């Protein structure tokens, strides 16, 4: 068995962030009566949120903004798209979103099946995530996959973010894993795949949405079930 330690990303890899975010925003849309406040199209509201969230996470990863700014600004900018400059509403949405989102349970197809398969083959499974400490732990507990993972390494605990070398070094040190017996599995070509490659760790690109990478990862799969062909 070439690999002993499998390091998974969480959001967009195992835990279906977009689906869970949409359910949460839909509930906020209704309970806060956003339609009456001027948000006349929920689907546009949701897509704009995803756009702002992605851009702000990129800025957060690169050290340009702090966690608190990311949390509030993604709501503020989405509301401003509908000409709503209501700071109190943005703060309420940010707070409630972070309370509600981790209670959602949508996982990508075959997540539990594959984690069970890997665990039964005696791989040591871990998470490396740029998500917030408390929120990420709540996600895996509420979606009932927490027991599959030996260690959960977050950006907060490691004081670093993927793709930086420091978070991978911290993960290897925490798990007492050697780099040549370790592999990173994730959906993000920069944070997960290039980040791991830059420290000499093999990678599996979980390509749920058919991206075209501009370099070749160690392995590429289109769905989680295909991991059974590798491990």
């Amino acid at each position: 068995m070439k690999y002993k330690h499998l390091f998974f990303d969480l959001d967009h890899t195992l835990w279906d962030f977009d689906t869970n975010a949409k359910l949460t925003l839909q509930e906020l849309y209704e309970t806060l009566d956003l339609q009456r406040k001027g948000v006349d199209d929920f689907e546009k509201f949701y897509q704009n949120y995803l756009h702002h969230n992605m851009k702000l996470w990129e800025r957060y990863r690169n050290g340009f903004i702090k966690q608190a700014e990311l949390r509030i600004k993604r709501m503020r900018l989405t509301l401003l798209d509908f000409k709503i400059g209501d700071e109190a509403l943005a703060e309420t949405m940010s707070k409630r979103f972070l309370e509600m989102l981790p209670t959602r349970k949508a996982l990508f197809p075959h997540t539990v099946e594959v984690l069970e398969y890997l665990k039964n083959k005696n791989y040591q499974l871990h998470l490396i995530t740029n998500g917030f400490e408390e929120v990420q732990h709540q996600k895996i507990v509420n979606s009932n996959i927490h027991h599959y993972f030996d260690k959960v390494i977050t950006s907060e605990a490691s004081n670093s973010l993927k793709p930086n070398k420091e978070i991978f070094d911290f993960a290897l040190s925490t798990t007492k894993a050697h780099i040549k017996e370790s592999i990173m599995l994730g959906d993000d070509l920069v944070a997960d795949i290039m980040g791991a490659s830059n420290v000499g760790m093999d990678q599996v690109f979980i390509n749920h949405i058919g991206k075209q990478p501009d370099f070749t990862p160690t392995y590429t799969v289109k769905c989680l079930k295909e991991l059974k062909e590798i491990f």
Side-chain angles (χ1 to χ4, degrees), residues 34-227:
L34 295 184
Q35 185 172 19
R36 188 178 61 81
K37 292 179 171 71
V39 183
D40 56 357
D41 184 336
F42 172 75
E43 193 60 37
K44 182 181 177 184
F45 177 77
Y46 167 66
Q47 292 298 332
N48 287 10
Y49 167 83
L50 291 180
H51 171 76
H52 291 306
N53 187 57
M54 180 184 67
K55 293 294 186 184
L56 288 165
W57 265 101
E58 184 176 346
R59 290 182 59 76
Y60 175 62
R61 272 203 312 264
N62 292 326
F64 295 123
I65 61 173
K66 300 294 185 183
Q67 179 188 122
E69 185 178 352
L70 185 157
R71 290 176 167 182
I72 184 69
K73 202 168 186 178
R74 58 190 176 184
M75 297 302 179
R76 182 190 298 138
L77 292 175
T78 305
L79 288 172
L80 284 172
D81 289 339
F82 292 85
K83 298 180 170 57
I84 302 169
D86 189 333
E87 188 66 15
L89 178 59
E91 288 179 5
T92 297
M93 290 177 63
S94 177
K95 181 176 181 293
R96 292 195 189 177
F97 183 79
L98 285 170
E99 290 170 350
M100 295 159 59
L101 181 66
T103 69
R104 305 295 181 186
K105 302 176 181 180
L107 300 169
F108 280 98
H110 309 293
T111 293
V112 173
E113 171 192 341
V114 168
L115 292 176
E116 187 74 24
Y117 166 83
L118 295 171
K119 201 69 175 176
N120 286 339
K121 294 196 74 173
N122 295 317
Y123 288 103
Q124 292 187 48
L125 310 182
H126 316 288
L127 287 171
I128 307 181
T129 169
N130 281 351
F132 310 127
E133 180 86 11
E134 182 180 353
V135 172
Q136 299 303 76
H137 280 279
Q138 288 178 25
K139 286 176 183 176
I140 61 174
V141 168
N142 289 322
S143 56
N144 199 31
I145 58 173
H146 61 288
H147 55 285
Y148 291 112
F149 300 103
D150 297 308
K151 297 290 182 182
V152 177
I153 291 92
T154 67
S155 54
E156 282 187 274
S158 65
N159 199 31
S160 183
L161 288 156
K162 294 178 293 183
N164 296 333
K165 178 178 185 292
E166 290 77 12
I167 191 169
F168 291 98
D169 289 343
F170 182 86
L172 292 167
S173 174
T174 299
T175 57
K176 296 180 172 55
H178 296 293
I179 202 158
K180 293 304 179 184
E181 62 184 20
S182 303
I183 189 166
M184 180 72 209
L185 302 92
D187 73 292
D188 192 300
L189 282 165
V190 174
D192 300 318
I193 307 307
M194 292 185 69
S197 177
N198 288 340
V199 298
M201 185 186 294
D202 285 355
Q203 331 90 43
V204 181
F205 177 35
I206 313 286
N207 194 6
H208 289 298
I209 60 175
K211 295 177 185 175
Q212 292 299 318
D214 52 9
F215 77 104
T216 304
T218 313
Y219 304 97
T220 298
V221 298
K222 294 179 181 177
C223 74
L224 292 169
K225 196 170 186 177
E226 292 177 26
L227 293 176

